[in-house]
Amino acid sequence: MPRAALTRTGTPLDDLAWQAVATRDPSARGRFVIGVVTTAIYCAPGCPARLPGRANIRRFEDWRAAEAAGFRACLRCRPKAEAADLTGAAVVRDAVAAIEAAEAPPTLEALATRAGYSPFHFLRLFKAQTGLTPRAYAEAVRARRLAEAVAEGAGVAEAAFAAGYGSLRGAYAAAGGITPGRARRGGAGETITAAFAESPFGPLLVGATARGVCFLGFAEPREALLADLRRRFPNATIVTDDAALAAHLAAVLAFIDRPRAGLALPLDLQGTAFQKRVWDALRRIPPGETRTYSEVAAALGRPDAVRAVATACARNPVSLAVPCHRVVGKDGGLHGYRWGLPRKRALLEAEAGGGD
């Protein structure tokens, strides 16, 4: 298409959009694309290519509008692929919300129909985004509901059927063999000291019993982190004392700053026997290396327990100290990190040498 025709398409950038393009603001990606009339190429706002003159830029709502106007996608920032990734993430978020809201696990066919995909393509998309199948994710949701209900004092049968299990046998299997009495205690008779600090990842909370660190969380508001600790140990006495855990906080902050050095803390890990085996295996993964869920399962002599390994990683109460960020999907992709994939990526890059 001639340049004169291109200049008549799209809209000129307003001051806010131009500022986002000029500063390569990453938060603008996905909100619009820009077409450069001198090259007939469209880009994402944060494209690393040489910045064109403002007069030569036209704004489009999405890649479809840009291509309809005669522009072609940039090969450096790949705005069309990014849009597809964003769309896929939105589809999976909607499916996850549907699973969380359902009383019984939705079928693959029902979720695929809701998303407008074939079951085959929806399954691939869901696994790429979460590292789990929809069925495995739904089972994890049921197991969590069961554990929370028992910890709050519900009877085992009542909690099992409320969580969607058809039998007590299935409920006990999902709980990994935890006895109802142990789950119901929820930290009763224990005192947990909680301490806060500010980290490069945002607020940091460390919780410790007399035996060692039992909780480590970050990147959320302090109230949310403390609520997470209380949910995990609903019957424990929790006291806040930043000074009492100053050494632990300093060790965690040093690890975040230089994760290749490793993180050694006394730990009080409370979980099933299998979960503890998984967490121990994660601690043996050297900084700078990763393992897939299937590799961890094989190392434990349980190659059929990939789903159980993923569940143990998701329930890891002491992230960083037990480095679940070193576990990746079968395709090498980063999936399912409790504290956000950008932080998982930052940790892995720093451990691989990018933090030196």
Side-chain angles (χ1 to χ4, degrees), residues 230-284:
R230 288 183 174 130
R231 179 183 61 80
R232 293 171 184 265
F233 303 96
N235 299 321
T237 299
I238 298 177
V239 296
T240 56
D241 188 343
D242 295 349
L245 300 182
H248 292 343
L249 291 171
V252 176
L253 292 173
F255 174 80
I256 294 175
D257 183 61
R258 191 178 178 82
R260 295 186 71 189
L263 176 58
L265 288 172
L267 300 179
D268 181 11
L269 296 178
Q270 302 184 31
T272 68
F274 182 78
Q275 287 173 341
K276 290 181 179 180
R277 289 184 63 202
V278 172
W279 298 336
D280 186 57
L282 301 189
R283 297 178 72 192
R284 293 197 297 270

Side-chain angles (χ1 to χ4, degrees), residues 19 30 58 75 165 167 177 183 222 243 258 285 323 325:
Q19 182 179 12
R58 295 295 179 270
L75 296 179
Y165 290 98
S167 68
R222 293 189 173 205
R258 191 178 178 82
I285 303 175
H325 62 274

Side-chain angles (χ1 to χ4, degrees), residues 1-299:
M1 183 178 292
R3 175 180 175 181
L6 290 173
T7 59
R8 292 194 294 270
T9 61
T11 58
L13 295 183
D14 58 31
D15 290 342
L16 288 177
W18 167 245
Q19 182 179 12
V21 171
T23 60
R24 295 182 169 85
D25 181 1
S27 67
R29 297 178 72 90
R31 287 163 37 196
F32 60 91
V33 299
I34 58 172
V36 184
V37 299
T38 53
T39 61
I41 291 175
Y42 69 91
C43 304
C47 181
R50 181 178 178 182
L51 184 68
R54 181 174 179 176
N56 294 324
I57 299 177
R58 295 295 179 270
R59 172 176 174 156
F60 297 92
E61 292 306 310
D62 55 33
W63 65 270
R64 295 179 181 84
E67 291 194 353
F71 293 84
R72 63 184 186 278
C74 173
L75 296 179
R76 294 192 66 180
C77 64
R78 301 173 66 245
K80 188 173 180 178
E82 179 186 65
D85 291 343
L86 291 171
T87 301
V91 167
V92 173
R93 283 197 300 270
D94 179 74
V96 165
I99 293 172
E100 293 277 358
E103 292 185 5
T107 65
L108 173 62
E109 289 73 17
L111 292 171
T113 299
R114 176 188 178 95
Y117 286 80
S118 71
F120 173 78
H121 286 94
F122 175 78
L123 178 61
R124 290 184 60 186
L125 178 63
F126 194 95
K127 288 187 69 176
Q129 293 284 335
T130 66
L132 298 172
T133 66
R135 180 183 177 87
Y137 191 96
E139 291 297 336
V141 170
R142 288 205 302 176
R144 186 191 71 215
R145 290 173 179 170
L146 172 65
E148 290 175 349
V150 172
E152 290 172 0
V156 177
E158 175 190 357
F161 293 118
Y165 290 98
S167 68
L168 289 178
R169 177 179 296 179
Y172 281 121
I178 296 179
T179 64
R182 183 180 178 192
R184 191 176 290 117
R185 284 197 293 272
E190 295 194 74
T191 297
I192 298 176
T193 301
F196 286 100
E198 289 299 319
S199 79
F201 290 156
L204 165 71
L205 172 62
V206 171
T209 66
R211 293 178 294 277
V213 174
C214 62
F215 178 80
L216 200 164
F218 52 93
E220 293 180 351
R222 293 189 173 205
E223 296 77 9
L225 292 172
L226 197 56
D228 193 354
L229 175 62
R230 288 183 174 130
R231 179 183 61 80
R232 293 171 184 265
F233 303 96
N235 299 321
T237 299
I238 298 177
V239 296
T240 56
D241 188 343
D242 295 349
L245 300 182
H248 292 343
L249 291 171
V252 176
L253 292 173
F255 174 80
I256 294 175
D257 183 61
R258 191 178 178 82
R260 295 186 71 189
L263 176 58
L265 288 172
L267 300 179
D268 181 11
L269 296 178
Q270 302 184 31
T272 68
F274 182 78
Q275 287 173 341
K276 290 181 179 180
R277 289 184 63 202
V278 172
W279 298 336
D280 186 57
L282 301 189
R283 297 178 72 192
R284 293 197 297 270
I285 303 175
E289 298 184 17
T290 60
R291 300 288 188 273
T292 65
Y293 296 103
S294 57
E295 287 174 335
V296 174

Side-chain angles (χ1 to χ4, degrees), residues 201 218 255-256 259-260 288 320 325 337 341-353:
F201 290 156
F218 52 93
F255 174 80
I256 294 175
R260 295 186 71 189
L320 304 182
H325 62 274
Y337 191 52
L341 293 185
R343 297 175 185 90
K344 181 171 185 174
R345 182 176 296 107
L347 288 165
L348 291 176
E349 288 177 351
E351 289 183 347

